[in-house]
Amino acid sequence: MAAAEEPPPLTGVAWASAPGAAPAGWTVIATTVEGAAANLGRGFGLKGGAFLCLSASAQAAPGAVVADVQVLSDRSPLPAGYVRAREFPESRPAAPRRKRVCVKLLPRGAAATAVLDLKLSGRSGAVPGYQRLGEIGSFAVWCKKGQVPHSTPPPLPSPRTVSLGLKQLSLQPADTDHKSPEKSGPPFGSKHASLTQHESVYDTSNIYGLSAMDGVPFTLHPRFEGNINSGSNTILADLNVKSLAEIEEEYNYAFVIERTAAARLPPSIC
């Protein structure tokens, strides 16, 4: 069995002096849930009638909805964002009352929940599924809240395809799916394994593989360029070459002092 649909949110709560005094579009609560006459004028201490009437719109049109209803004493300050319920007819002067009904209105798009219905019962009565707001005279006021149905959001536009001209403006490579085959390096020890002037010992694809000498050209000091170009060996004239015997004689050390100290006998004990 399908669940019953909830009524639309209320768009207004007002008072009417009689069931026929409410304008078109308003529904008067003429009886309580027990079937008694719902004339709240007796609760207000009035000689005339006072009936609650409701306005609701089944369409999710732009406008205000009743977000909350409170029953307050006439001496209580009006809460922020609340207004007094309207009265029909408007020309009727407001009489002094012990209780008043305050309504909070919010735009439909800003309200997550709203008041869906109001009912009246006797003081000792109960209305399942409704929240008790308070008492007016010998009546109890009940409220039912629910979600606010919003209008269907407009459909999102379909994604547009990127034209070939825009793809050519991309910074990415034109064809990343096809990879060029890696070139195999020359065998180690062959004549092609020697480095050329455009090659580097380090892998420059990684910043940690760079050397401090990468990119620095090798040049010879001008002092030695003339000697190398002429083919003379004058650059080696200042070198002093020693033989092995000369090196051993220069750095010969017999360790005489150390051996003498080690040969000394410890002092005898008398």
mmCIF file of all heavy atoms in Angstrom, residues 86-104:
data_model
loop_
_atom_site.group_PDB
_atom_site.id
_atom_site.type_symbol
_atom_site.label_atom_id
_atom_site.label_comp_id
_atom_site.label_asym_id
_atom_site.label_seq_id
_atom_site.Cartn_x
_atom_site.Cartn_y
_atom_site.Cartn_z
ATOM 1 N N ARG A 86 -2.194 37.337 10.597
ATOM 2 C CA ARG A 86 -3.116 38.314 10.038
ATOM 3 C C ARG A 86 -4.533 38.087 10.561
ATOM 4 O O ARG A 86 -4.834 37.029 11.141
ATOM 5 C CB ARG A 86 -3.104 38.211 8.509
ATOM 6 C CG ARG A 86 -1.752 38.476 7.893
ATOM 7 C CD ARG A 86 -1.778 38.175 6.400
ATOM 8 N NE ARG A 86 -2.802 38.959 5.708
ATOM 9 C CZ ARG A 86 -3.103 38.822 4.411
ATOM 10 N NH1 ARG A 86 -2.447 37.920 3.675
ATOM 11 N NH2 ARG A 86 -4.022 39.574 3.860
ATOM 12 N N GLU A 87 -5.385 39.079 10.348
ATOM 13 C CA GLU A 87 -6.786 38.998 10.784
ATOM 14 C C GLU A 87 -7.704 39.358 9.619
ATOM 15 O O GLU A 87 -7.428 40.287 8.858
ATOM 16 C CB GLU A 87 -7.038 39.931 11.967
ATOM 17 C CG GLU A 87 -6.272 39.546 13.222
ATOM 18 C CD GLU A 87 -6.678 40.390 14.413
ATOM 19 O OE1 GLU A 87 -7.612 41.205 14.268
ATOM 20 O OE2 GLU A 87 -6.055 40.237 15.477
ATOM 21 N N PHE A 88 -8.807 38.609 9.487
ATOM 22 C CA PHE A 88 -9.832 38.881 8.484
ATOM 23 C C PHE A 88 -11.179 39.090 9.191
ATOM 24 O O PHE A 88 -11.545 38.274 10.052
ATOM 25 C CB PHE A 88 -9.945 37.736 7.488
ATOM 26 C CG PHE A 88 -8.672 37.446 6.740
ATOM 27 C CD1 PHE A 88 -8.020 36.221 6.894
ATOM 28 C CD2 PHE A 88 -8.088 38.398 5.914
ATOM 29 C CE1 PHE A 88 -6.869 35.939 6.199
ATOM 30 C CE2 PHE A 88 -6.926 38.117 5.225
ATOM 31 C CZ PHE A 88 -6.310 36.892 5.375
ATOM 32 N N PRO A 89 -11.883 40.165 8.853
ATOM 33 C CA PRO A 89 -11.463 41.233 7.919
ATOM 34 C C PRO A 89 -10.408 42.145 8.525
ATOM 35 O O PRO A 89 -10.297 42.269 9.731
ATOM 36 C CB PRO A 89 -12.774 41.984 7.664
ATOM 37 C CG PRO A 89 -13.582 41.763 8.892
ATOM 38 C CD PRO A 89 -13.239 40.381 9.390
ATOM 39 N N GLU A 90 -9.645 42.778 7.635
ATOM 40 C CA GLU A 90 -8.535 43.621 8.075
ATOM 41 C C GLU A 90 -9.016 44.842 8.850
ATOM 42 O O GLU A 90 -8.300 45.351 9.704
ATOM 43 C CB GLU A 90 -7.713 44.069 6.866
ATOM 44 C CG GLU A 90 -7.092 42.925 6.088
ATOM 45 C CD GLU A 90 -5.973 42.232 6.844
ATOM 46 O OE1 GLU A 90 -5.537 42.773 7.877
ATOM 47 O OE2 GLU A 90 -5.552 41.146 6.417
ATOM 48 N N SER A 91 -10.228 45.312 8.540
ATOM 49 C CA SER A 91 -10.702 46.554 9.175
ATOM 50 C C SER A 91 -11.114 46.341 10.622
ATOM 51 O O SER A 91 -11.321 47.305 11.355
ATOM 52 C CB SER A 91 -11.885 47.141 8.376
ATOM 53 O OG SER A 91 -12.944 46.186 8.317
ATOM 54 N N ARG A 92 -11.260 45.069 11.054
ATOM 55 C CA ARG A 92 -11.705 44.822 12.417
ATOM 56 C C ARG A 92 -10.593 45.173 13.389
ATOM 57 O O ARG A 92 -9.472 44.669 13.249
ATOM 58 C CB ARG A 92 -12.090 43.346 12.580
ATOM 59 C CG ARG A 92 -12.723 43.027 13.936
ATOM 60 C CD ARG A 92 -13.304 41.615 13.896
ATOM 61 N NE ARG A 92 -12.252 40.620 13.726
ATOM 62 C CZ ARG A 92 -11.615 40.044 14.771
ATOM 63 N NH1 ARG A 92 -11.908 40.402 16.013
ATOM 64 N NH2 ARG A 92 -10.711 39.137 14.548
ATOM 65 N N PRO A 93 -10.832 46.034 14.380
ATOM 66 C CA PRO A 93 -9.775 46.392 15.318
ATOM 67 C C PRO A 93 -9.374 45.207 16.175
ATOM 68 O O PRO A 93 -10.212 44.383 16.557
ATOM 69 C CB PRO A 93 -10.400 47.509 16.160
ATOM 70 C CG PRO A 93 -11.868 47.260 16.077
ATOM 71 C CD PRO A 93 -12.121 46.706 14.694
ATOM 72 N N ALA A 94 -8.103 45.107 16.443
ATOM 73 C CA ALA A 94 -7.600 43.992 17.246
ATOM 74 C C ALA A 94 -8.005 44.170 18.693
ATOM 75 O O ALA A 94 -7.797 45.218 19.296
ATOM 76 C CB ALA A 94 -6.073 43.927 17.131
ATOM 77 N N ALA A 95 -8.622 43.175 19.265
ATOM 78 C CA ALA A 95 -9.080 43.218 20.652
ATOM 79 C C ALA A 95 -7.986 42.673 21.562
ATOM 80 O O ALA A 95 -7.135 41.901 21.127
ATOM 81 C CB ALA A 95 -10.346 42.383 20.789
ATOM 82 N N PRO A 96 -7.975 43.072 22.805
ATOM 83 C CA PRO A 96 -6.968 42.554 23.726
ATOM 84 C C PRO A 96 -7.129 41.054 23.934
ATOM 85 O O PRO A 96 -8.253 40.564 24.144
ATOM 86 C CB PRO A 96 -7.233 43.341 25.010
ATOM 87 C CG PRO A 96 -8.652 43.798 24.900
ATOM 88 C CD PRO A 96 -8.896 44.023 23.441
ATOM 89 N N ARG A 97 -6.022 40.302 23.871
ATOM 90 C CA ARG A 97 -6.050 38.850 23.981
ATOM 91 C C ARG A 97 -4.973 38.385 24.951
ATOM 92 O O ARG A 97 -3.972 39.050 25.146
ATOM 93 C CB ARG A 97 -5.831 38.198 22.608
ATOM 94 C CG ARG A 97 -6.921 38.529 21.597
ATOM 95 C CD ARG A 97 -6.552 38.071 20.217
ATOM 96 N NE ARG A 97 -7.616 38.370 19.253
ATOM 97 C CZ ARG A 97 -7.492 38.168 17.944
ATOM 98 N NH1 ARG A 97 -6.373 37.693 17.455
ATOM 99 N NH2 ARG A 97 -8.498 38.456 17.148
ATOM 100 N N ARG A 98 -5.216 37.233 25.533
ATOM 101 C CA ARG A 98 -4.230 36.679 26.447
ATOM 102 C C ARG A 98 -3.124 35.915 25.702
ATOM 103 O O ARG A 98 -2.009 35.827 26.188
ATOM 104 C CB ARG A 98 -4.926 35.726 27.424
ATOM 105 C CG ARG A 98 -5.961 36.400 28.310
ATOM 106 C CD ARG A 98 -6.628 35.381 29.202
ATOM 107 N NE ARG A 98 -7.692 35.988 30.012
ATOM 108 C CZ ARG A 98 -8.470 35.297 30.839
ATOM 109 N NH1 ARG A 98 -8.338 33.980 30.956
ATOM 110 N NH2 ARG A 98 -9.406 35.916 31.538
ATOM 111 N N LYS A 99 -3.443 35.344 24.559
ATOM 112 C CA LYS A 99 -2.486 34.582 23.759
ATOM 113 C C LYS A 99 -2.461 35.130 22.332
ATOM 114 O O LYS A 99 -3.446 35.719 21.861
ATOM 115 C CB LYS A 99 -2.863 33.091 23.714
ATOM 116 C CG LYS A 99 -2.758 32.378 25.058
ATOM 117 C CD LYS A 99 -1.313 32.260 25.490
ATOM 118 C CE LYS A 99 -1.200 31.490 26.806
ATOM 119 N NZ LYS A 99 -1.520 30.060 26.654
ATOM 120 N N ARG A 100 -1.350 34.936 21.671
ATOM 121 C CA ARG A 100 -1.226 35.354 20.276
ATOM 122 C C ARG A 100 -0.438 34.292 19.507
ATOM 123 O O ARG A 100 0.386 33.562 20.065
ATOM 124 C CB ARG A 100 -0.518 36.703 20.161
ATOM 125 C CG ARG A 100 0.854 36.752 20.806
ATOM 126 C CD ARG A 100 1.459 38.115 20.674
ATOM 127 N NE ARG A 100 2.719 38.221 21.411
ATOM 128 C CZ ARG A 100 3.518 39.280 21.346
ATOM 129 N NH1 ARG A 100 3.200 40.309 20.579
ATOM 130 N NH2 ARG A 100 4.643 39.299 22.045
ATOM 131 N N VAL A 101 -0.717 34.221 18.210
ATOM 132 C CA VAL A 101 -0.052 33.273 17.313
ATOM 133 C C VAL A 101 0.955 34.048 16.468
ATOM 134 O O VAL A 101 0.577 35.019 15.780
ATOM 135 C CB VAL A 101 -1.070 32.545 16.416
ATOM 136 C CG1 VAL A 101 -0.351 31.612 15.445
ATOM 137 C CG2 VAL A 101 -2.059 31.764 17.275
ATOM 138 N N CYS A 102 2.217 33.636 16.540
ATOM 139 C CA CYS A 102 3.297 34.284 15.783
ATOM 140 C C CYS A 102 3.789 33.342 14.697
ATOM 141 O O CYS A 102 3.926 32.133 14.916
ATOM 142 C CB CYS A 102 4.452 34.673 16.712
ATOM 143 S SG CYS A 102 3.952 35.775 18.049
ATOM 144 N N VAL A 103 4.074 33.927 13.539
ATOM 145 C CA VAL A 103 4.441 33.145 12.356
ATOM 146 C C VAL A 103 5.798 33.610 11.858
ATOM 147 O O VAL A 103 6.081 34.820 11.820
ATOM 148 C CB VAL A 103 3.372 33.304 11.242
ATOM 149 C CG1 VAL A 103 3.756 32.487 10.027
ATOM 150 C CG2 VAL A 103 2.008 32.895 11.758
ATOM 151 N N LYS A 104 6.638 32.650 11.474
ATOM 152 C CA LYS A 104 7.938 32.946 10.861
ATOM 153 C C LYS A 104 7.880 32.553 9.396
ATOM 154 O O LYS A 104 7.655 31.386 9.063
ATOM 155 C CB LYS A 104 9.069 32.181 11.555
ATOM 156 C CG LYS A 104 10.445 32.493 11.007
ATOM 157 C CD LYS A 104 11.526 31.745 11.771
ATOM 158 C CE LYS A 104 12.907 32.099 11.251
ATOM 159 N NZ LYS A 104 13.982 31.371 12.004
#
